[in-house]
Amino acid sequence: MPATAATKAETEAQFRRWLQTDLWPEAAKAGISKSAFDAAFADVTLNWDLPDLAPPGSKPGGPQKQSQAEFASPGAYFSEQRMQGLATTGRALAKTHAAVLKRIEKTYGVPGPIVLAIWGRESGFGKAKIPHPIMDVLATKAFMSTRGELFRRELIAALHILESGDVREADMRGSWAGAMGQPQFLPSSFLQYAVDFDGDGKRDIWSSVPDVLGSIAHYLSLKGWQPGRDWGYEVTIPAKVSCAQEGPDRAKSLGQWAASGIARVSGKPLPKGEGMMLVPAGRNGPEFLVTQNFYVIKEYNNSDLYALFIGNLADRIGAGSGAFRGTWGDVGKMLRSDVLTMQKRLEAQGYDIGKADGLAGYKTRRSIGEWQAKNGLPATCFPDQTLKSRLSGG
């Protein structure tokens, strides 16, 4: 313990030197005043409990072995109890904040239920604890994390926020990853997208509901939200239609998809406009046609399941709908290392699988479907254990 304590004490001293000799010149160049800089760091301390730290003189830990990680079944992500709870609260808040949401939709073109769904997912409609002083988190990670450059940029952005007077440092709280307030914005996103929607002269994403909701809508608007369009539709895709047509680069008109036999599970006709196929579990789960707005939601969190969660929750809040009709099959048992092996074998055969990372994204899924069809197998568009050995034979 004494050795550890001495090491920590020396690191703390090194941190203080780093602030003045390394970070301060960069902050000055970015337009931060010395008085604001010194005030911001007067009470900042290193948080040794944060993940992904690499203190000076230590070797950063290597990446976790992929053989130890499974990619989870999508069904667990859509806990019906949780979805129903969020939807019930969301519908009540839609009434409470109806005037603000109406003004937001008029200003930014983003529907209230979508904004509420993101608010609910990110911070439980503002009820989730936001535990960390954000300057402690950012300073710690900028000084000694495995992604120091990213957090260094965010730390400079946080200094701009403090100097703007939008928030007191004591109230500037966030997650262990540096995301702030109820919408969970990084400081750089705050500077770009946060708005003062209640007109009090401050952008307050910590305690002002109009600012929180307006900022989420402003973010989606600037990312390309198309007013008057849904995020997407759950559909049934006939067996004769290939599931290997996923992705924004293979968009067609919704009329073309309908002509091929794809239909909404609700029985309603597909509207006009463009759409993309999405089969996140291949043939083993719900199937969708999504619009460009689905990919705008993914700008908030780059995950198909996240965007589906938001879309489904928004539909429950706005239209009183329920769970997806399709059921998620048992597709979450494979090791990431097995999927990675499959990706590399597909890549070696000329397929575009996207990033070889052990996760089955849409390019991997459709490549599997294309390989299956080419080799006379039923196309499932999803990895399974039998495919690993079959792929090795070409």
Side-chain angles (χ1 to χ4, degrees), residues 164-168 171 190 194-205 208 211:
S164 74
D166 280 308
V167 59
R168 295 186 312 133
D171 299 326
F190 178 98
V195 294
D196 169 24
F197 209 73
D198 62 10
D200 70 350
K202 295 182 178 182
R203 298 170 291 177
D204 181 3
I205 62 170
S208 165
D211 288 6

Side-chain angles (χ1 to χ4, degrees), residues 310-354:
I310 297 303
N312 183 247
L313 180 54
D315 288 349
R316 291 171 187 247
I317 293 170
S321 59
F324 295 132
R325 303 270 187 91
T327 56
W328 300 98
D330 187 17
V331 295
K333 296 298 172 82
M334 288 194 69
L335 297 174
R336 283 186 64 177
S337 56
D338 289 335
V339 179
L340 181 63
T341 298
M342 293 173 63
Q343 287 175 323
K344 288 180 177 177
R345 288 174 181 171
L346 284 165
E347 212 167 27
Q349 295 178 43
Y351 290 91
D352 176 12
I353 53 85

Side-chain angles (χ1 to χ4, degrees), residues 180-266:
M180 305 188 306
Q182 295 184 39
Q184 288 290 278
F185 279 178
L186 287 170
S188 58
S189 290
F190 178 98
L191 292 174
Q192 284 183 272
Y193 307 113
V195 294
D196 169 24
F197 209 73
D198 62 10
D200 70 350
K202 295 182 178 182
R203 298 170 291 177
D204 181 3
I205 62 170
W206 291 269
S207 57
S208 165
V209 171
D211 288 6
V212 168
L213 300 180
S215 297
I216 292 170
H218 186 227
Y219 181 100
L220 296 174
S221 173
L222 291 185
K223 291 293 184 181
W225 186 271
Q226 297 175 354
R229 296 207 70 193
D230 287 324
W231 64 270
Y233 315 93
E234 187 182 359
V235 297
T236 53
I237 302 174
K240 66 178 181 178
V241 177
S242 170
C243 55
Q245 301 183 73
E246 275 196 272
D249 55 339
R250 297 192 180 178
K252 296 180 184 179
S253 75
L254 291 171
Q256 285 177 288
W257 291 118
S260 72
I262 295 175
R264 292 176 66 176
V265 296
S266 67

